[in-house]
Amino acid sequence: MVMKVYPAEFKQDAVALYLSDPGHTLEGVSADLGISRETLRNWVRAERARRSAAGENVRDAKVSEAAKTREDLEAEIAALRTELKTVRKENATLAQERDILRKATKPFRLGDELVSSRCQFIEDHRETFMVQRLCQVLEVARSSYYKWRDGREARAARECADEALAERIAVIHAESGGTYGSPRVTAELRDEYGMRISEKKVARVMRKFHIAGFRLRKRVRTAIPEPSATPVPDLFKRAFTAPNLKYMGDVTYLPVGDVEFRYPATVLDCFSRRVVGWSIASHMRTDLVADTLKMATVTRGSLAGAIFHSDHGAQYQSRQFAELCAALGVTQYMGAVGTSADNAACESFHASLKRETLKGARRWDGPGTCRRAVFRWLARYNTWRRHSANGHLSPLAYEMSHNMALAA
């Protein structure tokens, strides 16, 4: 057993033995004494340093100089060989990493949607490189890779299910004229197909297969309240509990041809967002908004006792329109100047009308095309288009469900 601590006499005898004969080597003497080569070498160096400091001019120091040089060179050569071996190993490792990253650069640089997953890359190159090395270079835990590989069948099944769902979504999306987003598509899948599905999953599949509802950038807010305006009594109170009680109306514009415009006016039931009256003309005179209110009366049978909200447009403030409201038993209500909260639903309705009929186009080709498109959209809006305020039911379906609940 090798000693941990050596007596001073033992060290002196060991050094004397080594220096006694120029033919002695550190390996041979250390092996005979049962100590390490480096330990003996350190003792010899310490003895030489002591003698040099003392000014001793010993013959054996000169005699052993050649041996000393030889031993040092052998030690340096051995160290260099070890270092060279390490460097070669590191070079081989770096070369392998370079090859792996070179192969991985092409698919990984194309963007998240086109990039193969790291685990898929490892699977594709596992015959060329060791899985352990691939995982190290791509910074993937081996357990994660094997878990991913074991789940291939489940992923394939999910992929097939996503494709089947995407086909149904594409049909619904096409029927909506390319306007439905994930909320309305989800409602359609639940009602028409009886599917128990979350909106998040529908959104994921639509995003995966590049199916998107039509939307435009939000406009800048222009309705700014007037601080000095006289307070207006709130007749709506944001309480829409039954149909045929509170209505709102507004006028918008649709560009036609090069310089023309068509002006649609509508009357919405605040309860169900149903369009009960509408008219479209080439002018914005009072007759336009009066016709919409008359149509609403025909649709509902009577508007007696109802409240009608509008903005402060000249048409709605005219004597002709006020007389019509009085004759129909309708109470007029206008919010404060610059406040659009009460009429927000109507403005949102007109925004949807423009967005889903023009679909990003700047204007209609002609008046006839414009009127037909608006007519078709309004018909589908009441009977077919799902509304978020109605729990994704169409306005007519929402009113029918309300009436059935009352009858029950």
Side-chain angles (χ1 to χ4, degrees), residues 261-282:
F261 290 93
R262 286 298 180 269
Y263 303 96
T266 54
V267 175
L268 296 184
D269 191 312
C270 297
F271 173 73
S272 62
R273 306 298 198 273
R274 179 183 175 183
V275 182
V276 294
W278 70 279
S279 181
I280 184 169
S282 59

Side-chain angles (χ1 to χ4, degrees), residues 249-253 263-266 283-285 288-289 292 311 315-316 343 346 350 354:
D250 201 1
V251 181
T252 189
Y253 68 93
Y263 303 96
T266 54
H283 60 81
M284 294 181 63
R285 295 190 294 271
L288 175 65
V289 296
T292 62
D311 58 19
Q315 304 88 349
Y316 294 110
N343 220 37
C346 201
H350 284 157
K354 292 181 181 180

Side-chain angles (χ1 to χ4, degrees), residues 139-210:
E139 297 181 352
V140 176
R142 275 190 294 171
S143 59
S144 299
Y145 161 69
Y146 288 120
K147 183 178 180 180
W148 174 89
R149 192 179 66 174
D150 294 341
R152 281 180 294 185
E153 294 183 2
R155 285 197 304 278
R158 284 196 300 270
E159 187 68 24
C160 292
D162 286 350
E163 292 177 358
L165 178 59
E167 292 179 359
R168 291 187 176 182
I169 291 175
V171 172
I172 296 172
H173 188 258
E175 290 177 350
S176 71
T179 60
Y180 271 14
S182 58
R184 291 188 173 91
V185 170
T186 303
E188 194 74 17
L189 290 171
R190 290 172 179 172
D191 292 348
E192 298 300 324
Y193 293 92
M195 297 178 63
R196 299 180 62 184
I197 190 170
S198 68
E199 183 183 334
K200 287 185 178 180
K201 182 175 182 179
V202 173
R204 177 183 62 80
V205 174
M206 291 181 68
R207 185 167 54 251
K208 179 179 179 180
F209 290 89
H210 309 289

Side-chain angles (χ1 to χ4, degrees), residues 100 108 212 214 224 229 233 236 318 329 399:
I100 293 173
F108 286 166
F214 189 82
I224 302 175
F236 264 28
S318 66
E399 288 188 0

